[in-house]
Structures are given as C-alpha cells and as structure tokens.
Amino acid sequence: MSTIGNSIYKFPARKIGKKPELSPPTKLKRKKAPSSERVFRYWQEQAYKKLYNSKLFLVKAFCGSGKTTLSIAMCIYDAIKNRRKQIFIVPQSHIGDGFAVSGGFYIPGIGKVEISSANNYCENSSSKVEMLVNFLIGELKFKNSELVKEDELYIDGSECMVICTHQAFNAAMKKIIADGNFDLSCKNASFYIDEAHHVKGGESNKEKESELEKDYNQLGRILYGIVDKANENNSRVGLTTATFYRGDQGIIVKNEYLSKFDRYELDFLSHFET
C-alpha cells in the first residue's frame, strides 16, 4: 500500500519467475563486400548526374545526408576534366576537416580516383591568408595527376585544392580586390561555399537596389562578383546548404541570380526513410 496525496494506491505483488531464454545472436549479411573507395548514396548519384557539368549549382540537403562527399566528387571531376583550381569555403575551421580527406573515390564517368588531402588554410592568420592569396592568383599546378594502375587516377590535392574558412576567404579576397586582381583570382577556378545560408545577398523586404546593397555581407558581394563574370573567367560556383532560411530574414541569393543556378533539393520524405 502506498499513499500519494489523499489517494491510496495498491500495487500488485511482484511475480518472480524464470528468465526467458534468449535466441542466439545472428550476424547481418552484407549484400556486397566492403568497398575500398567512397561510393554514392542514392540521392548523391541523382544530384551528381544532374549537376556534375554545371558551372553554377545549388544543393539543398539535410544535415548528415552527405553534401561534403558530393562536393568532393564534383571537385574531383572538375579538376580532372576542366582543369580548374578548387576552393572549398567553410564557416568554421573544424568543418574543413571533412573536406581534408585522402583515399579512394568512385567518380561516375571516370572510375576510381585516389586523392591526397587538399591544403587546409582554415586559420585566419596572416600567413595562411597570404598563402591563400598566392594560390588564388597563381597558376594551377596539376603535375602529379597520373595513372597509378589501370583505370585508376591519382590527384595530389596540395597542387589544385584548398580549404579555407569564410573569414579567411573574405580576408584574402579583400587584399586581392585592393590589388586589382579579382578577375585573375577567379580565372579557371571553382568555388564551393559550404553552409551557404551564411551568404547574405540582400533583404527580402527591400525594393531599391541601393538599399539592397547595404544588406549584402562580404561573402554575398564576392559571390555576385564571381557569378557576374563566370563565363568570362571560366569560373564555377557551388552552393550547399541544409536550409534556405536566415534568422535575420535576409536572402541568400537574389532571384535574378538564383535563376542562373542549376538546383537539386533532397526531398524530406525520401531522406526520412534513411
């Protein structure tokens, strides 16, 4: 018997019996042998087939769904086929670790590619920014791409790929623009902006262009500058994000620019099943 407040409760006596026997554990059977290289999930393959040759693209997919792997695969294809410099731009230093990878990737249309890690310039120190500036305005080094064995390629990421934070990229581009080298830094270069909702391209409730200009952030200004001369400079821009929304109600990309992007959006109901 037990009293709680003004009510009296009677609990049944605990029954003591023999524990049931448990079935022996079973091992899960794999459909395929483990692969030695990264391969696509179903949606990554769909997005890749749609966007692999796009100069301007935007991917909206949920956290943990695999946007980083997709971006690296797009980068590898672009470096091999189009010989552009590859720049990954991330919001925080630790996120850059996901792009600084080595190992095998299976790239549709190319096959297995072995890649060593890109240069990681995520720290916003003067030396890192200076090295980033030199990479952006320098010639593409891509000498160590060669056949390792039949149907397999090797890419030295230190020759054609860098990773930097939004802050370091802004600092580097500020110096580049001041020196009059903006077009040079964008020529034959691909820019992948991770967590693209950090880009601010104006306020949705502002109508005049002069008012919109005040509501760009530095990353937004640079993005529009690259897109404006993408064909002339043979530039590529890829934006990946989990959400199109900003807390300050700012817009990421204005409609007239957004219409230039090829887009892929991962449907939530499909993702939820995984």
Side-chain angles (χ1 to χ4, degrees):
M1 303 288 288
S2 181
T3 302
I4 302 176
N6 295 324
S7 302
I8 298 176
Y9 296 88
K10 184 177 181 181
F11 297 99
R14 183 181 177 187
K15 294 181 180 179
I16 300 175
K18 197 174 180 182
K19 290 184 178 180
E21 293 185 5
L22 300 177
S23 300
T26 58
K27 292 184 179 180
L28 294 174
K29 294 180 180 179
R30 293 183 178 273
K31 292 182 179 179
K32 296 180 181 178
S35 175
S36 60
E37 68 270 355
R38 290 195 189 189
V39 294
F40 283 152
R41 298 173 183 172
Y42 80 95
W43 80 266
Q44 292 167 326
E45 185 173 0
Q46 292 175 353
Y48 181 89
K49 287 179 178 178
K50 182 176 182 180
L51 305 173
Y52 74 96
N53 220 16
S54 298
K55 270 197 169 183
L56 305 173
F57 69 86
L58 190 154
V59 174
K60 176 183 171 289
F62 304 92
C63 296
S65 58
K67 297 187 292 296
T68 299
T69 295
L70 175 65
S71 293
I72 295 172
M74 301 271 277
C75 153
I76 292 172
Y77 178 90
D78 192 56
I80 293 173
K81 293 294 186 180
N82 300 312
R83 296 285 170 163
R84 296 188 185 105
K85 290 180 281 189
Q86 309 293 316
I87 302 98
F88 295 111
I89 308 161
V90 300
Q92 294 174 301
S93 296
H94 72 274
I95 296 177
D97 295 340
F99 292 90
V101 295
S102 297
F105 282 77
Y106 181 78
I107 310 298
I110 295 179
K112 183 178 177 181
V113 179
E114 195 74 22
I115 182 174
S116 64
S117 178
N119 289 314
N120 195 340
Y121 296 156
C122 280
E123 294 177 14
N124 190 26
S125 63
S126 57
S127 60
K128 293 282 186 179
V129 170
E130 191 63 34
M131 286 189 283
L132 180 56
V133 169
N134 292 336
F135 177 84
L136 289 169
I137 64 176
E139 294 271 335
L140 175 63
K141 300 175 176 178
F142 200 35
K143 300 172 186 173
N144 283 355
S145 272
E146 57 186 13
L147 287 171
V148 177
K149 56 184 179 180
E150 188 178 358
D151 297 329
E152 289 188 9
L153 284 164
Y154 168 73
I155 295 180
D156 185 345
S158 66
E159 294 185 335
C160 60
M161 304 174 188
V162 297
I163 308 157
C164 62
T165 60
H166 294 173
Q167 188 177 9
F169 181 69
N170 287 339
M173 291 303 293
K174 184 177 180 179
K175 185 179 188 315
I176 286 170
I177 292 169
D179 293 340
N181 290 325
F182 182 76
D183 285 345
L184 180 61
S185 70
C186 298
K187 192 168 288 293
N188 301 319
S190 295
F191 303 89
Y192 305 89
I193 302 178
D194 187 52
E195 306 288 353
H197 56 275
H198 287 270
V199 175
K200 188 176 182 181
E203 290 282 355
S204 57
N205 61 349
K206 300 290 179 66
E207 296 179 357
K208 295 181 181 179
E209 188 65 28
S210 58
E211 291 179 331
L212 279 167
E213 177 65 28
K214 297 176 184 177
D215 293 306
Y216 298 159
N217 62 11
Q218 178 71 0
L219 202 55
R221 291 188 185 94
I222 294 170
L223 171 65
Y224 289 152
I226 296 172
V227 172
D228 280 335
K229 292 190 174 182
N231 290 330
E232 182 180 335
N233 291 326
N234 190 31
S235 304
R236 186 188 208 196
V237 175
L239 306 178
T240 57
T241 183
T243 176
F244 284 139
Y245 299 102
R246 288 178 54 93
D248 59 3
Q249 298 185 357
I251 57 176
I252 300 172
V253 183
K254 293 188 294 186
N255 285 335
E256 56 266 38
Y257 282 84
L258 191 61
S259 61
K260 300 178 182 181
F261 283 76
D262 297 323
R263 285 175 276 179
Y264 180 91
E265 295 185 40
L266 177 57
D267 175 72
F268 176 73
L269 292 180
S270 299
H271 177 62
F272 183 76
E273 291 180 353
T274 67

